[in-house]
Amino acid sequence: MLHLRLITPADRTDDVVRLIENTVGTAHLAVLAGAARNPVGDVVLCDVAREAGDELLTGLQELGIEDTGSIAVENIDLSLSKRADKAEEEAPGEGADAVLWEHLTDATHEESTLSVTYLAFITLATMIAACGVVLDNAILIVGAMAVGPEFGPLAGLSTALIQRAPRLALRSLIALVAGFAVAMAVTVGFSWFMDALGQFSEEQLEGDRPNTAFVYAPDAFSFIVAVLAGIAGTLSLTSAKSGALVGVAISVTTVPAAANAAVALSYGDTKQTWGSTEQLLLNLLGIVLAGTLTLLAQKWLWSKQRGHTSAGQGSAP
């Protein structure tokens, strides 16, 4: 269930209440007349089944509530109410399959913002991965994958393509390009520094690395794994199962490939630099492609599911 807290102008409250009452899957409607002070208006509270949330949010936006008032949405972790149970049963479809497009757009917008924190995480992840590739340490590689924040802008690109949001696409692209550029540039300097300390050496990079050689040797499986990870990551975002994102993060070699390219570049190894760059681009392409197709499939399947449910309710005696 979702909890909605709305601030509505007094002259729009009746329209909002009517919309909520006519939306299948809502419960616990409450109106606090004149309770809002900034902006001035009424406060309307209600709960709605997740599978009916997108329809209700769309209706509220069509009424202009986001422009004249406020729409706040929260997830309800626990609701002990028979009316809430009934609302979820009445709502068409399954909550786990529902996509809240506004929530997805807002979440990916935040995650794809080029910020100091984002640059810090992707740079630190790349430096950790650099240690992993030089030492041929798979544990460091996995740790770097988990730290990397690059799935946010990748998901933002997929969402922007589906929602036709050019500003989100541009923001995500800038975060990706600038993030990896800064991270790789800093890692080149980090590699020179570690070499000066005697911790990195060209012999280690060029030597036999059975645990990490895959990061500069792209093949068909690189793309296949990236596609599967893109599907899993997108599903975890749309179903609010964010814990699955950790598994997605450690299944693709974006950060390790960028790290290997940076270290190889610091030693002038163009072969490994190019191979790692190919691995990086292949993974990025696979994730974006898979994420976009997954969102398209979800949108189509959800519309079909809602259509069948509505037809069944309409034909019921």
Side-chain angles (χ1 to χ4, degrees), residues 9 26 29 41 76 97 116 123 126-127 149 153 168 191 208 253 262 268 294 308 316-317:
T26 59
L29 174 61
I76 299 177
D97 298 331
V116 174
T123 301
T126 307
M127 293 166 67
L168 176 58
S191 179
D208 186 26
T253 55
T294 300
H308 287 314

Side-chain angles (χ1 to χ4, degrees), residues 55-135:
E55 177 186 354
L56 181 55
L57 289 174
T58 301
L60 291 170
Q61 288 177 302
E62 290 174 351
L63 290 175
I65 302 305
E66 65 176 334
D67 298 320
T68 57
S70 170
I71 304 173
V73 184
E74 300 173 345
N75 280 305
I76 299 177
D77 295 326
L78 177 63
S79 179
L80 302 178
S81 166
K82 290 185 177 180
R83 181 66 192 90
D85 294 340
K86 183 180 179 182
E88 289 187 319
E89 291 175 1
E90 292 175 345
E94 294 293 331
D97 298 331
V99 179
L100 297 175
W101 292 101
E102 285 300 324
H103 177 270
L104 179 62
T105 301
D106 184 69
T108 52
H109 182 279
E110 181 178 349
E111 293 295 325
S112 61
T113 300
L114 183 62
S115 63
V116 174
T117 301
Y118 173 84
L119 288 175
F121 270 115
I122 197 168
T123 301
L124 290 170
T126 307
M127 293 166 67
I128 293 171
C131 295
V133 297
V134 172
L135 298 176

